[in-house]
Amino acid sequence: MEEAQSKVLYSAVQPSGNLTIGNYVGAIRNWVALQGQFTCFYAIADLHAITVRQVPAELRRHTLELAALYIACGVDPARCTLYVQSNVPAHAELAWVLNTMTYVGEMERMTQFKDKAAKHAENVNMGLMAYPVLMAADILLYQTDVVPVGIDQRQHLEIARDIAVRFNNRYGETFRLPEGYIVKEGAKIASLQDPLHKMSKSDENPNASVYLSDDRDTVIRKFRRAVTDSDNAIVASEQKPGVTNLLNIYAAFRGCTVAEAEKEFAGKGYGDFKLAVGETVADVLAPIQAEQKRLLADKAYLSDILSRGAQAAAHTARRTLLKVYRKVGFYRGE
Ligand code: TYM
């Protein structure tokens, strides 16, 4: 029997190309696990993606590829609302209102803004700065209870809550306050070449990230080259960030705890360990890649899912937007 008022879950990924295993275990995989328990909205955040320069034809292709990937990973369009962010105008509309209640100083302090501004110094645009406000709009439009994300998005989630509280205080109860859902194993997958930094889609070193599109040999080769350390103990500790990262990845892909993984590899050498991690990851990726390819061959199906998703999302989002417009005093006719 369906619950009358099930809680709402919202999350999104940017269609900025090559997704990594970090995106999978930090976000998408958890969406699949949670989709039975919540009313779920999963977006493809193309409005966010254009805060750094995109090639238009590639952005369009990556958007469709990401839709296929969501479904290939197990997101069920019959049970979730899956849509492209720019297809629902309320996101940009609410973001504008929220921009007027967000301070420049707050945005300048955001870690991701500082990182991206340093990386794209030639293109520090207003959208890059207001990125967390748009993300707040995404979440708040759906009266979201839960947002499953990786650790790197925690600060953005906190600002979304701050903005919601600020709006509610000024105009009366309007937005529900969202909570993060951040898993233990896999919330922060680190770079294979520099395990003190997160694995990122945009890393210039292709050996640093394992992409969801990598074939088996590439996955195994990247893990074989992963940076570890000079002693030989396969244990997780702060002094051993490389090995800890590999244990985390193994645990996340194997569906076990890090402690269980440590026990499994006790007494083994790094070579065997890295090979096992690579094989385990490749085994999980192969069926996802095959399914994504199959789905991409059926563009009409994907287009239909996305257009129905956008309609459903727009319906829900509009309700919140109109409430906001009324509260801030916009004239809507007599
Ligand atoms: P994005 O596209 O950078 O990343 C998508 C998701 O993947 C997680 N993630 C990781 N998790 C673990 N280890 C890693 N190395 C790693 N790298 C990325 C991210 O935490 C994220 O959950 N702003 C968001 C997209 C967004 C969004 C939203 C998310 C737009 N609107 C509303 C939640 C709610 C972003 O850029 O994610």
Side-chain angles (χ1 to χ4, degrees):
M1 210 173 67
E2 205 160 54
E3 240 182 283
Q5 273 225 317
S6 81
K7 292 195 163 187
V8 175
L9 181 150
Y10 187 94
S11 203
V13 173
Q14 297 186 73
S16 37
N18 274 338
L19 263 69
T20 72
I21 56 170
N23 299 125
Y24 177 66
V25 292
I28 303 176
R29 195 181 59 158
N30 307 312
W31 304 359
V32 176
L34 294 167
Q35 66 189 346
Q37 302 166 44
F38 297 90
T39 298
C40 298
F41 292 90
Y42 295 128
I44 296 170
D46 56 348
L47 295 176
H48 279 99
I50 61 164
T51 57
V52 302
R53 216 154 283 154
Q54 302 287 337
V55 176
E58 280 181 13
L59 179 60
R60 239 184 311 274
R61 179 166 56 80
H62 288 153
T63 299
L64 210 60
E65 285 173 359
L66 188 51
L69 185 70
Y70 284 180
I71 302 172
C73 288
V75 170
D76 178 359
R79 290 199 287 166
C80 310
T81 301
L82 198 169
Y83 70 100
V84 178
Q85 187 188 28
S86 67
N87 293 177
V88 177
H91 290 257
E93 293 173 304
L94 179 62
W96 178 256
V97 176
L98 300 182
N99 268 328
T100 67
M101 313 190 51
T102 308
Y103 300 102
V104 170
E106 288 178 303
M107 295 295 97
E108 281 173 337
R109 282 197 293 277
M110 295 282 112
T111 312
Q112 202 167 81
F113 170 69
K114 288 194 278 193
D115 288 352
K116 285 198 180 172
K119 204 161 164 196
H120 303 275
E122 75 306 334
N123 184 22
V124 184
N125 61 75
M126 297 296 287
L128 194 61
M129 190 177 224
Y131 180 111
V133 184
L134 177 60
M135 185 162 153
D138 297 346
I139 296 167
L140 300 179
L141 272 176
Y142 298 89
Q143 303 294 350
T144 300
D145 296 284
V146 184
V147 186
V149 282
I151 282 176
D152 63 323
Q153 296 298 318
R154 184 185 277 157
Q155 199 181 32
H156 290 162
L157 213 58
E158 278 164 13
I159 203 82
R161 281 174 65 95
D162 290 349
I163 295 172
V165 168
R166 200 172 292 163
F167 191 99
N168 287 350
N169 286 342
R170 199 175 296 176
Y171 296 107
E173 206 54 33
T174 308
F175 296 125
R176 204 175 293 174
L177 297 188
E179 302 281 347
Y181 178 97
I182 298 175
V183 287
K184 199 155 155 269
E185 266 97 25
K188 187 176 178 190
I189 300 296
S191 154
L192 296 189
Q193 292 300 314
D194 176 6
L196 295 176
H197 285 100
K198 80 162 183 175
M199 184 180 286
S200 158
K201 288 177 217 164
S202 53
D203 204 307
E204 273 154 25
N205 180 349
N207 288 322
S209 306
V210 176
Y211 300 115
L212 296 181
S213 55
D214 281 343
D215 62 33
R216 188 176 187 85
D217 288 350
T218 309
V219 172
I220 290 173
R221 179 169 42 78
K222 286 181 176 177
F223 279 108
R224 196 180 308 126
R225 290 189 186 165
V227 168
T228 47
D229 51 44
S230 54
D231 79 3
N232 231 357
I234 302 175
V235 289
S237 83
E238 244 177 72
Q239 290 73 46
K240 296 169 69 72
V243 170
T244 304
N245 188 39
L246 295 180
L247 279 166
N248 256 323
I249 295 173
Y250 183 78
F253 276 83
R254 191 63 204 245
C256 64
T257 63
V258 168
E260 285 165 347
E262 284 174 334
K263 210 181 271 171
E264 186 179 337
F265 292 106
K268 299 231 168 83
Y270 281 175
D272 289 347
F273 172 49
K274 287 177 174 179
L275 180 64
V277 182
E279 285 179 338
T280 303
V281 171
D283 285 347
V284 172
L285 297 189
I288 294 175
Q289 291 165 351
E291 180 62 2
Q292 185 194 26
K293 192 168 164 209
R294 192 187 70 77
L295 288 160
L296 279 169
D298 192 351
K299 301 268 191 308
Y301 168 76
L302 291 174
S303 156
D304 184 52
I305 297 285
L306 293 175
S307 102
R308 278 197 275 165
Q311 260 182 37
H315 180 77
T316 304
R318 188 116 200 107
R319 270 209 305 261
T320 302
L321 185 74
L322 290 179
K323 201 160 152 191
V324 166
Y325 277 8
R326 196 172 60 243
K327 297 225 175 184
V328 300
F330 288 166
Y331 177 74
R332 312 286 310 166
E334 295 304 325

